[in-house]
Amino acid sequence: MPGTFEPLPGGGAAVVLDHVEMSIIRSLAVQLLELIGPGPVEDAAGDPLAELFAEGPSEPPADPVLKRLFPDAYGAPEQAPASPADAEERRAHSAEFRRFTENDLRAGKRGNALSVIRSLDALGSAGEGERVLSLSPEESRQWLGALNDLRLAIGARLEIADEDDTEALYRLPDEDPRKPMVMAYLWLGGLQETLVSTLMP
């Protein structure tokens, strides 16, 4: 069925996409790559040790989308600290954790987005027709990660914080300027849901 991932014999998943759907997913993946940015050691190209020991940022990103993609590790934002000392300790732990993990997290998200772009490019130009995208088990996992990141990014732009916010999206009038973004958010959610079901044992 178009727009629905189905399991492949021996693992992996397949989905039928038309040229518009392929173009939308590819464009969103490229935008995600641009948002995440390049690797941490561009000046030390070819030096694996420099990359291995490069430290990431210790402060959370200012952009709300990046904040959603790379949240603080300690303490939920809505959970108030017990005291100023507790808040300071939480910030210190979060900064330390971020410093040593964010580069790897960014690399993983870049890899997932690149996998989406490459697999779509491998299909070639679909013209006005549809193409069957067949993914290996590893590519399926990368697509799942990328679809999740795309939904988080769009959700942050739409300021979706909980299920109530999602429900309100269904009631937006067609003339609302957020409507195209909402449609993309819901459509990606459907793709993600069917892909998850194909990967479940």
Side-chain angles (χ1 to χ4, degrees), residues 104-136:
D104 286 343
L105 290 173
R106 284 179 182 258
K109 292 179 187 300
R110 273 193 298 272
N112 291 341
L114 279 170
S115 176
V116 167
I117 293 166
R118 288 172 180 150
S119 55
L120 290 173
D121 287 350
L123 288 180
S125 172
E128 293 299 316
E130 296 177 331
R131 294 288 175 95
V132 178
L133 174 70
S134 298
L135 303 173
S136 68

Side-chain angles (χ1 to χ4, degrees), residues 24-59:
I24 290 170
I25 295 173
R26 191 186 188 285
S27 174
L28 289 171
V30 168
Q31 290 176 54
L32 183 64
L33 272 179
E34 291 170 352
L35 184 65
I36 292 171
V41 286
E42 297 261 308
D43 342 340
D47 185 348
L49 279 178
E51 186 163 355
L52 181 64
F53 293 107
E55 292 183 0
S58 58
E59 293 298 319

Side-chain angles (χ1 to χ4, degrees), residues 55-131:
E55 292 183 0
S58 58
E59 293 298 319
D63 186 290
V65 173
L66 290 175
K67 272 187 183 174
R68 184 77 59 94
L69 291 172
F70 305 102
D72 274 337
Y74 291 87
E78 68 277 0
Q79 181 184 1
S83 67
D86 181 45
E88 186 54 42
E89 183 179 1
R90 199 185 285 183
R91 274 193 297 273
H93 287 312
S94 290
E96 190 75 356
F97 186 84
R98 184 180 295 279
R99 192 158 61 94
F100 291 110
T101 61
E102 188 167 310
N103 284 344
D104 286 343
L105 290 173
R106 284 179 182 258
K109 292 179 187 300
R110 273 193 298 272
N112 291 341
L114 279 170
S115 176
V116 167
I117 293 166
R118 288 172 180 150
S119 55
L120 290 173
D121 287 350
L123 288 180
S125 172
E128 293 299 316
E130 296 177 331
R131 294 288 175 95

